[in-house]
Amino acid sequence: MSGARLWADTAWVRGGWARGVLLRAGADGRWAEVASGVALPPPDATVLPGPAIPALVNAHSHAFQRAFAGLAERRDGPHDDFWSWRDRMYGVALRITPEQLQAVARHLYAELVAGGWSHVVEFHYLHHAPDGRPYADEATMARALAEAAQDVGIGLTVLPVLYERAGFAQPALREDQRRFAADTERVLRLRDTVRGWALPQVGAGVAVHSLRAARPASVHALARALHGDPGPIHVHVAEQPAEVADCLAATGRRPVQWLAEEGLLDARWQLVHATHTEPGEIAAVAASGAGVVLCPGTEANLGDGLCDLPGWLAGPTPLALGTDSHVTRTASEELRWLEYGQRLQLRRRNVAADAALPPAAQPSTAARLFERVLAGGCAAAGLGPAGLRVGARADLLVLDEADPGLVGVPAAHRLDAWVFAAPQAAVKQAWLAGRCRFEAAAPPDTGPAFAAAMAALHGR
């Protein structure tokens, strides 16, 4: 059975703009046909109302933190950093109910679709009831996320998180972390439960919260249990200097160094943040085939620091983007933050552009970053091939040429302008798994339920 048949006057195909692109989605939600040079749309094809580009995967999300966005921008002590933000964020984590989580996630996922994302990877550690006891259905909170994603149409990869202790020198979780507790067995059960639902465009892998939050023996036990499983494995790593220092004190090695030297890394592993790394660690990750997930908006909001982007780009390491705490929610803004942070630090322009000599070079900063995170995001979610090509997920965005940031821009520079000159998302339509799930004129109405959840969480 065939799905939607679409025709775009121009579309971003395999790293460049192509004319007259005909696409057909299969019944499985993947592209069954992609052809360029089709001068006129066939009678049965839907003509897309603007240039088409692949949608991106949001490779790192804590959906419940959307209920905290904008509520931590006041200093309530002499010093404010990641750790003080985290303690305040736990207040929301301890109160949110499954019903509220579903409302928050549904609102967030609708925002993400409108912002250029087609799939979201949930780093899911909010498992238990507020008192810390398991729900009768231990997948209650994961189910709330999956139902929200199904309502909106966004793809979802759920990563149940191994979370055992509060720090390298602390044997157990803190009281305000009681909803997060999960050992290896629980993580694997939750993964299997989500897979067993067999929901369209919903999958599952696993995650390790961080090396400070999981015992080394448990990390190795989880890795052994995953032998032969193709699903993604994510871990927060080297986000904060204090984490690096604590890991050195506890193990004699830096976090990325520990993962590499323990022989854990392979192409399934995704290192989230990897902000504070050394050249040898970057080389070790590249050799292992593991990927890196960067979250520029959240990393800026939390004062994490800046990663060695030139170092990562110089090698073959897959790169992906995530919106993490969701203070930012558009794909183009994350790309812009990724480059602008480097410009501020290095006092240079077009840091991510390929400096190689033509014709091999990619002089467009936006194009080089977009192509890299397009492929890396699909790998981080366990989706397979990326982009407008046969076998990839049938996801695309139609850009709004009437957006003030894109009006009058020459076609060859359209992607550059989308990233660097269009402050809004500038998305006119979003097609997910072969279906139009967003149109700018009629966005999903998720606001009332979200507002009610926020009122219950924070008071009116």
Side-chain angles (χ1 to χ4, degrees), residues 137-186:
D137 174 3
E138 65 179 357
T140 292
M141 297 298 267
R143 187 179 296 278
L145 296 170
E147 290 179 355
Q150 293 282 284
D151 287 345
V152 171
I154 197 169
L156 175 69
T157 300
V158 181
L159 305 176
V161 174
L162 176 66
Y163 208 142
E164 300 177 303
R165 62 185 186 179
F168 287 101
Q170 301 177 64
L173 294 171
R174 294 174 9 175
E175 174 60 20
D176 56 3
Q177 296 172 320
R178 59 185 178 269
R179 299 191 76 175
F180 310 158
D183 58 15
T184 299
E185 289 74 20
R186 184 181 297 276

Side-chain angles (χ1 to χ4, degrees), residues 252-265:
R253 289 175 285 181
R254 298 166 60 86
V256 176
Q257 178 189 11
W258 189 90
L259 287 166
E261 292 183 355
E262 291 293 307
L264 290 163
L265 299 181

Side-chain angles (χ1 to χ4, degrees), residues 256 260 277-289 311-312 315-317:
V256 176
T277 57
E278 294 184 342
E281 293 175 301
I282 290 176
V285 173
S288 74
W312 291 119
T317 299

Side-chain angles (χ1 to χ4, degrees), residues 84-339:
S84 55
W85 170 89
R86 186 188 70 161
D87 290 343
R88 284 176 281 171
M89 177 270 292
Y90 284 169
V92 174
L94 287 173
R95 295 196 303 276
I96 195 166
T97 67
E99 295 77 18
Q100 291 165 348
L101 177 61
Q102 184 172 347
V104 169
R106 187 170 179 267
H107 184 74
L108 167 67
Y109 293 163
E111 290 182 290
L112 295 183
V113 170
W117 309 99
S118 61
H119 192 100
V120 61
V121 179
E122 276 293 338
F123 199 98
H124 175 54
Y125 56 78
L126 192 56
H127 301 304
H128 306 307
D131 62 5
R133 289 184 293 183
Y135 289 103
D137 174 3
E138 65 179 357
T140 292
M141 297 298 267
R143 187 179 296 278
L145 296 170
E147 290 179 355
Q150 293 282 284
D151 287 345
V152 171
I154 197 169
L156 175 69
T157 300
V158 181
L159 305 176
V161 174
L162 176 66
Y163 208 142
E164 300 177 303
R165 62 185 186 179
F168 287 101
Q170 301 177 64
L173 294 171
R174 294 174 9 175
E175 174 60 20
D176 56 3
Q177 296 172 320
R178 59 185 178 269
R179 299 191 76 175
F180 310 158
D183 58 15
T184 299
E185 289 74 20
R186 184 181 297 276
V187 165
L188 294 171
R189 283 200 310 273
L190 286 169
R191 178 205 62 181
D192 292 345
T193 296
V194 174
R195 290 178 177 177
W197 293 337
L199 295 171
Q201 317 308 330
V202 174
V206 301
V208 177
H209 181 272
S210 55
L211 296 187
R212 70 175 184 273
R215 300 178 184 88
S218 299
V219 177
H220 277 286
L222 183 62
R224 288 193 298 272
L226 296 171
H227 180 72
D229 186 272
I233 310 166
H234 289 222
V235 58
H236 290 137
V237 67
E239 181 178 3
Q240 285 287 319
E243 174 197 344
V244 177
D246 289 349
C247 190
L248 273 167
T251 70
R253 289 175 285 181
R254 298 166 60 86
V256 176
Q257 178 189 11
W258 189 90
L259 287 166
E261 292 183 355
E262 291 293 307
L264 290 163
L265 299 181
D266 57 36
R268 298 171 300 170
W269 281 79
Q270 301 291 324
L271 310 186
V272 180
H273 301 302
T275 305
H276 302 283
T277 57
E278 294 184 342
E281 293 175 301
I282 290 176
V285 173
S288 74
V292 169
V293 180
L294 306 172
C295 305
T298 288
E299 288 154 7
N301 183 267
L302 298 181
D304 288 344
L306 292 165
C307 72
D308 181 1
L309 183 62
W312 291 119
L313 288 172
T317 299
L319 301 180
L321 290 177
T323 55
D324 195 354
S325 68
H326 306 298
V327 290
T328 53
R329 297 178 290 281
T330 63
S332 55
E333 185 175 7
E334 292 297 331
L335 288 162
R336 187 164 57 247
W337 264 107
L338 184 58
E339 168 69 16

